[in-house]
Amino acid sequence: MNQSTLEEHLLGEVRHFMRQGYVDTQLDSIRTALEPMWMALPKNQHGKLDSGLVRYALRRFFVQRHGWHLDGLDDSNTSFEGASSPAGLLRERAPTYLMDRFEEAFGKTGLMLFEVVIFAATLEHIIHDEAADRLRETYQALETSTSAELNDDDVEQTMDVYMLSLLMGRSKLKAKGTIEKKLS
């Protein structure tokens, strides 16, 4: 399989996974942000970035773009094996084909720019989905409709519960009485 065919297959899988519109609007801006770093970083004998440099590029990208520090992208993690790796972050949410392709690249020859871009877009999408799910769960815990108009007090309470769910875990949102006890 040549590189352009592989790129189209991978992009098709990501488009299916993330809704085509999101991918199409995000890939260009992510590529623009990552390309200068890609050009400056040393490549391996295959002309690709090794796993440590992929982690470095993704870490810088997410800090610059969102101010996010993601577990699994830190320097102390020297392996891409296990759940704390960037590939491990995707394991439960990403399609098998996508995971197999990323793991194959990480394990053997590294990643090309388009793969790093798609990896970043996939991580970004998963993180956004997780935040949206948590917010929906917050509204459910407060027995409030997501389409309801909130007053200032309701907004503050919703933000407090959302932040509590970050600190205490999402399962606490589902436990009756936990929210009321923590807010009082």
Side-chain angles (χ1 to χ4, degrees), residues 144-170:
T144 303
S145 169
T146 56
S147 61
E149 192 169 316
L150 303 178
N151 62 35
D152 289 345
D153 290 338
D154 291 338
V155 169
E156 188 172 328
Q157 182 184 33
T158 303
M159 288 173 37
D160 287 346
V161 171
Y162 183 88
M163 294 306 292
L164 280 171
S165 77
L166 289 172
L167 297 172
M168 297 170 36
R170 291 168 78 172

Side-chain angles (χ1 to χ4, degrees), residues 2 9 12 16 38-39 42-43 46 50 55 72 86 97-98 105 107-108 117 133 151 159 166 172 179-180 184:
N2 66 31
H9 281 294
H16 174 72
W38 167 265
M39 298 300 288
K43 312 304 179 291
H46 305 284
D50 287 326
R55 282 195 312 271
Y97 171 79
L98 188 58
K108 295 182 181 176
V117 169
D133 289 346
N151 62 35
M159 288 173 37
L166 289 172
K172 298 291 185 186
I179 301 305
E180 293 82 15
S184 51

Side-chain angles (χ1 to χ4, degrees), residues 12-72:
E13 185 70 23
V14 171
R15 281 182 172 141
H16 174 72
F17 173 60
M18 295 193 303
R19 299 178 301 275
Q20 185 166 347
Y22 177 85
V23 172
D24 293 336
T25 61
Q26 296 303 309
L27 287 181
D28 285 341
S29 68
I30 292 171
R31 183 184 185 96
T32 299
L34 286 171
E35 194 164 24
M37 226 181 321
W38 167 265
M39 298 300 288
L41 291 171
K43 312 304 179 291
N44 62 22
Q45 68 271 20
H46 305 284
K48 300 177 179 184
L49 292 182
D50 287 326
S51 63
L53 291 173
V54 170
R55 282 195 312 271
Y56 171 78
L58 291 174
R59 189 172 54 247
R60 285 202 48 196
F61 169 76
F62 285 116
V63 167
Q64 290 172 351
R65 186 169 167 117
H66 300 290
W68 296 345
H69 295 273
L70 302 181
D71 291 341

Side-chain angles (χ1 to χ4, degrees), residues 19 93 124-134 136:
R19 299 178 301 275
R93 301 286 302 260
E124 188 176 68
H125 175 74
I126 289 170
I127 292 165
H128 281 289
D129 277 358
E130 289 289 328
D133 289 346
R134 184 181 300 269
R136 274 190 291 280

